[in-house]
Amino acid sequence: MTADAAWLTLAGLGAYHGVNPAMGWLFAVSRGMQERSRRAVVRSLVPIAIGHEASIALVAALVLGLSTTTDPRGLRIGAAAVLIAFGLFRFVRPHAHFRWTSMRVSDRELGVWSFLMSSAHGAGLMVAPVILGLEASRQSHDDMAMLSSGPIDIAAVGIAVHVLVMLAVMGAIAFVVYERVGLKVLRRAWLNTDQAWAGAFIVAGLVTLTS
């Protein structure tokens, strides 16, 4: 995977997560309606983004740590196997994720929920092969600016790009739904992304295996 493709993939995954209601914009809209406040919508986006970023950072740190002690081909095979297995699991158990008993949560609880939900949906696993691609590009690139950046720097920037795109898309959708549409649209046209997400894991695993 080239550096340009890796950056575009990170941004694309961020946009996908922003669109997916399971990643948090539904919570932001609900809190805004409960408190009848636009500020509540904005305030909800911050812990959602922090929890999502923490989940991805944890996986990225694990992958980068393993990359220093594991053969690159072995690491790719292992990552591909995990991605494909997780994709198959999501096909079999599409609703296997954490649930809260109430939509009324504090900012801290919302951050924890976001971390658990992102982890359960495999957001970090999906980003892991892209981080590996960026690190491989960094090691082989001739540009001195790229070579001067370490794997942690590259991973941090990559995660930041992903989360910022997600936050922008999520915020835009939350405001449109809050201001113009309302939650009643979900009764008529619910966007179910579970199968597409599971398939994306399998595709990502195959791409990782053959790259």
Side-chain angles (χ1 to χ4, degrees):
M1 180 182 291
T2 66
D4 289 342
W7 291 118
L8 289 174
T9 300
L10 284 170
L13 288 172
Y16 179 89
H17 288 160
V19 170
N20 190 347
M23 291 295 177
W25 67 256
L26 184 59
F27 251 119
V29 173
S30 176
R31 292 185 79 192
M33 290 183 170
Q34 288 171 7
E35 300 181 24
R36 297 182 180 180
S37 169
R38 296 184 185 90
R39 288 186 177 182
V41 178
V42 176
R43 192 174 72 246
S44 298
L45 296 176
V46 176
I48 290 172
I50 291 173
H52 188 82
E53 184 168 11
S55 175
I56 293 175
L58 181 63
V59 174
L62 178 62
V63 169
L64 290 173
L66 289 173
S67 68
T68 63
T69 58
T70 306
D71 176 70
R73 177 169 174 75
L75 185 58
R76 285 199 304 273
I77 293 174
V82 172
L83 286 164
I84 293 172
F86 194 86
L88 293 174
F89 171 76
R90 294 298 304 175
F91 267 122
V92 176
R93 298 287 301 277
H95 303 296
H97 53 68
F98 299 95
R99 297 176 184 273
W100 293 94
T101 58
S102 172
M103 291 291 280
R104 293 184 178 274
V105 294
S106 66
D107 288 345
R108 181 182 63 81
E109 290 171 333
L110 188 55
V112 173
W113 172 87
S114 179
F115 174 83
L116 294 175
M117 184 63 74
S118 297
S119 300
H121 276 259
L125 285 175
M126 182 60 77
V127 171
V130 188
I131 298 296
L132 286 174
L134 282 176
E135 171 59 6
S137 177
R138 183 193 70 83
Q139 293 178 354
S140 62
H141 206 282
D142 292 331
D143 186 86
M144 293 304 294
M146 177 67 81
L147 288 174
S148 65
S149 299
I152 295 178
D153 298 327
I154 292 297
V157 174
I159 293 171
V161 168
H162 173 84
V163 173
L164 285 174
V165 173
M166 183 199 77
L167 194 58
V169 173
M170 180 183 294
I173 293 175
F175 270 101
V176 169
V177 174
Y178 177 80
E179 294 284 354
R180 302 292 182 184
V181 181
L183 292 178
K184 62 183 179 181
V185 69
L186 298 181
R187 300 191 186 100
R188 298 195 303 267
W190 175 258
L191 180 61
N192 190 333
T193 57
D194 285 332
Q195 290 190 344
W197 186 232
F201 273 97
I202 295 176
V203 172
L206 294 175
V207 170
T208 301
L209 189 62
T210 57
S211 62

